[in-house]
Each structure stands twice: as structure tokens, then as C-alpha cells.
Amino acid sequence: MEQSRCRESANSSSFSRSVYSEIEEVGWEHLVRLSEDLKFLSFRVIDKKGRVHCMEIQLDKNYPRSPPSISADVPYIFNLKWSRKSRLKDLLQQFREHLEKLQEIWNILDEIDKSLWVIDLKNPSRANVCRQINLGYNCIIMLSIHIDDPSSLPECRFMGSDPMVNSLRKTWQRNSKRCASSSSFCLLRVPIGLRLRCRLSVTEGECRCYCFNKKKTSTLPPPK
């Protein structure tokens, strides 16, 4: 019994030294949280656009022989590459590389959040690739960005009064088919200001055209 307790203490001491050493490699200034048993850690990572991300790491008792479990506020988690020689700094580097792959998605979502009348925008999750946009006249469009091809037309769902929704849906379906052959075209014509990863092209009376533009964007005034 005593021998078992001594072995457990030695293993625990070795584990502690290993974790502290690896945190030192990453940099203590990046550490957000560390549990008392050292098996849960959270690191702060800032991407090239200045967005702050936190990656949570759960260490197994057999670490580093067993890979850690990871979680973060991102649309999807990367496939961890791990070996018995891997260290926390390697994990953080893989996370940074994953953040780079997600930049286009977040750029699009940030542009939507900045320019459109987005519902429930307070503290949006970076894992959420959907947005509900108020079109006015009791109509809402729900957009979902494709994580594997963010620059493609998003999936959309219209909600609201039947006459308006039916009209918008037909316009969207008809004009979205032209996406492959034109870099800029009118998708919707509705009586409020809305931009869909896009630029405002023409204003006619009280109606505005909403255009999808793969190459160029411009800024719209905030909704009134």
C-alpha cells in the first residue's frame, strides 16, 4: 500500500514538472486558467485580425502518452496531430493554424454584423456561422455560411408574412442561379438597407438592391 502511494506521488510530481515546463515554453502570459490538479488549462490566442480566442485543454492522467482533449469557440475543431513527443506548444501552434483557416468565415460574419440589421447580436459566438437579419415588414432572413466554402452563396431561410416571404424566396432562388456566371448581380429587392457579403448597387425610390459581389465590397450606413 505504501509502495503504491509513493509511486503515485512520484508520478504526480513528474506530471507537475512536465506541465509547468510546457506552460513555460508557451508563455505564462498566454495562460488564462489552470486547475489545481493541473489537468485543465486555458490559453489565450490572438489571431491576425486581433480577435481573441481561448482554447481549453483537458489533460489525461497518462499525458503525454494520451492526447489531450480540446475545445474552443470555433465553428469546428481541427484534427489533432499528436505523438508521445508532442507538447503543449505544438498544440497551440496547430490551433493558430486552424484559426488562420477560419479567417474568411469570420471576416464575412463580422462584415454582416457591422452592416446589417442582425437580430440578437449581443456577444455572438465565434462558433455560430448563422445570422438572423431583419428585413422589415415582419420578415426575417436566416443566413448560414458554408464552413467549407465561405465565399459561396449562404444557405438562406425566409420567415415572416407569407406574401412577402414567398416573393423574396422566389427572387432569391431565381437570381442565385446566376452566381456562377456573374461576379455581381441583384439577389433581393426589398424596402430596407441590407447587404449580403456584398455591396449596395442601386437605390430606386424606396427599394434597394442587395447584391452578392465576390470581389468588391462597400460600406452601408447602419440601420435606422
Side-chain angles (χ1 to χ4, degrees):
M1 187 70 176
E2 187 66 27
Q3 183 180 6
S4 175
R5 188 180 298 109
C6 290
R7 185 183 298 111
E8 182 178 346
S9 177
N11 289 338
S12 176
S13 177
S14 175
F15 175 82
S16 300
R17 288 195 301 269
S18 176
V19 171
Y20 283 131
S21 174
E22 294 185 35
I23 294 175
E24 189 74 27
E25 291 177 345
V26 173
W28 286 94
E29 67 274 15
H30 302 296
L31 184 68
V32 176
R33 182 182 172 190
L34 178 64
S35 63
E36 291 186 4
D37 62 3
L38 309 183
K39 291 182 178 180
F40 177 84
L41 308 91
S42 178
F43 286 99
R44 180 187 298 106
V45 177
I46 302 176
D47 67 25
K48 66 180 183 180
K49 289 290 187 177
R51 304 181 184 99
V52 179
H53 308 273
C54 283
M55 181 174 65
E56 297 180 344
I57 305 170
Q58 186 71 47
L59 303 181
D60 185 86
K61 63 180 180 180
N62 295 319
Y63 177 85
R65 294 190 301 275
S66 299
S69 299
I70 56 177
S71 63
D73 188 25
V74 293
Y76 62 97
I77 290 292
F78 58 95
N79 293 322
L80 176 62
K81 298 177 181 177
W82 192 260
S83 71
R84 297 183 65 172
K85 295 182 179 180
S86 296
R87 301 173 71 83
L88 290 177
K89 65 177 182 179
D90 303 315
L91 179 56
L92 266 293
Q93 180 58 34
Q94 291 182 55
F95 183 56
R96 292 188 183 95
E97 293 172 357
H98 185 58
L99 294 179
E100 289 300 306
K101 297 178 181 178
L102 297 171
Q103 291 303 301
E104 185 176 10
I105 295 175
W106 289 327
N107 290 342
I108 292 172
L109 291 170
D110 284 352
E111 193 68 19
I112 290 174
D113 294 344
K114 180 176 67 175
S115 304
L116 310 185
W117 189 354
V118 181
I119 301 173
D120 296 330
L121 184 57
K122 187 176 181 181
N123 299 322
S125 168
R126 288 292 179 190
N128 187 5
V129 296
C130 299
R131 291 295 187 271
Q132 292 188 54
I133 300 166
N134 193 335
L135 300 179
Y137 291 85
N138 297 318
C139 289
I140 294 172
I141 181 174
M142 179 178 289
L143 303 179
S144 180
I145 304 299
H146 298 286
I147 59 176
D148 56 341
D149 188 9
S151 63
S152 65
L153 278 175
E155 293 182 8
C156 92
R157 177 185 176 188
F158 294 94
M159 298 175 286
S161 61
D162 290 341
M164 189 65 152
V165 164
N166 291 336
S167 176
L168 290 173
R169 185 182 293 112
K170 290 178 180 178
T171 302
W172 178 278
Q173 292 172 347
R174 180 175 64 251
N175 291 338
S176 62
K177 295 177 182 179
R178 300 167 55 191
C179 179
S181 59
S182 175
S183 62
S184 180
F185 54 88
C186 181
L187 280 176
L188 296 175
R189 191 183 299 272
V190 294
I192 61 163
L194 165 68
R195 182 162 57 97
L196 178 64
R197 200 188 166 253
C198 42
R199 63 184 179 85
L200 178 64
S201 61
V202 181
T203 299
E204 299 177 356
E206 295 183 353
C207 288
R208 290 184 175 182
C209 292
Y210 304 116
C211 295
F212 180 85
N213 190 322
K214 297 179 181 178
K215 298 179 180 179
K216 183 179 181 181
T217 62
S218 63
T219 303
L220 291 181
K224 295 180 180 180

